[in-house]
Amino acid sequence: DLPHAVSLLAELGQTRQLDVVYDELRRNLKSELRIQDEAVGGFIQGVRSLHAKNHTDAQKHFRAAVKASPQSMDLRAQIARILSNAGRADDAVEFLEDAGSSPEIRTLRADVFLATGRTKEADAILRDLSDEENLDDEIKARVLYLLGRVARSRDEIEKSVRYFRLAGNYANTT
């Protein structure tokens, strides 16, 4: 997906390929993330600044993009994923504050909380999600995987292994 592709290309120093990704992104961003024209430039500049290690400018550009398209939960989620993948999970939390309550957003919020050491908050979100009916298998797999990480962080090895195995079972059905 987009955050992983951008992060990987940046880590590998593949600037030419990143430019190709940015051009493609620019063409598709408005419809994929349901954002206004003025938000597209801010989003792309934020990604560029982040991967140039200019975190202050990245935050400024991402905030401007969200301000231009405040209704787009997809935009907030993508920004949070990109920041988290870039090792900036603390910054990602800001963009998830008002991102909604869909299972996808709540799972992402739990993932970011785990990355920032907020295990108790992550666990509470994941427990709520695990009690819900009708979650698709991809979300179930992610929730179980994250519950495994919570258990592992508490040195509950057997429990974490069970969660990881269950997550694998759901992941194989998607």
Side-chain angles (χ1 to χ4, degrees):
D1 67 2
L2 170 67
H4 289 100
V6 170
S7 296
L8 182 59
L9 288 171
E11 284 176 28
L12 296 173
Q14 302 294 317
T15 55
R16 183 170 296 171
Q17 287 84 350
L18 266 175
D19 287 339
V20 171
V21 170
Y22 290 138
D23 289 342
E24 181 69 20
L25 179 61
R26 191 177 304 280
R27 285 191 293 275
N28 297 321
L29 201 55
K30 186 177 176 184
S31 63
E32 286 180 20
L33 297 182
R34 295 182 288 266
I35 63 176
Q36 303 301 316
D37 289 331
E38 51 276 9
V40 173
F43 178 82
I44 290 175
Q45 282 305 113
V47 172
R48 285 182 182 267
S49 295
L50 181 67
H51 292 295
K53 306 286 188 226
N54 188 338
H55 304 295
T56 303
D57 278 356
Q59 288 289 92
K60 178 182 76 172
H61 291 301
F62 286 146
R63 283 188 194 109
V66 168
K67 186 176 180 181
S69 287
Q71 78 291 349
S72 177
M73 298 305 111
D74 291 337
L75 173 64
R76 292 171 183 268
Q78 285 292 0
I79 290 170
R81 282 188 193 99
I82 288 169
L83 288 167
S84 186
N85 288 342
R88 306 292 297 183
D90 285 323
D91 295 336
V93 172
E94 168 189 344
F95 292 96
L96 293 173
E97 293 298 324
D98 300 318
S101 61
S102 71
E104 293 83 3
I105 293 292
R106 289 169 34 221
T107 303
L108 178 59
R109 191 176 286 128
D111 196 359
V112 169
F113 283 161
L114 273 175
T116 58
R118 296 165 65 178
T119 308
K120 191 173 187 178
E121 291 167 280
D123 190 38
I125 292 169
L126 295 167
R127 298 276 169 210
D128 286 345
L129 280 165
S130 68
D131 289 340
E132 288 189 19
E133 295 180 20
N134 302 320
L135 289 179
D136 67 37
D137 286 347
E138 184 177 340
I139 295 294
K140 286 178 190 174
R142 189 74 186 147
V143 167
L144 289 165
Y145 168 75
L146 293 172
L147 282 168
R149 285 182 46 204
V150 168
R152 188 179 63 201
S153 75
R154 295 177 176 156
D155 291 326
E156 298 171 333
I157 303 305
E158 289 180 24
K159 187 186 262 186
S160 69
V161 169
R162 281 195 309 269
Y163 281 127
F164 291 144
R165 284 185 178 150
L166 285 169
N169 289 339
Y170 279 104
N172 288 331
T173 63
T174 59

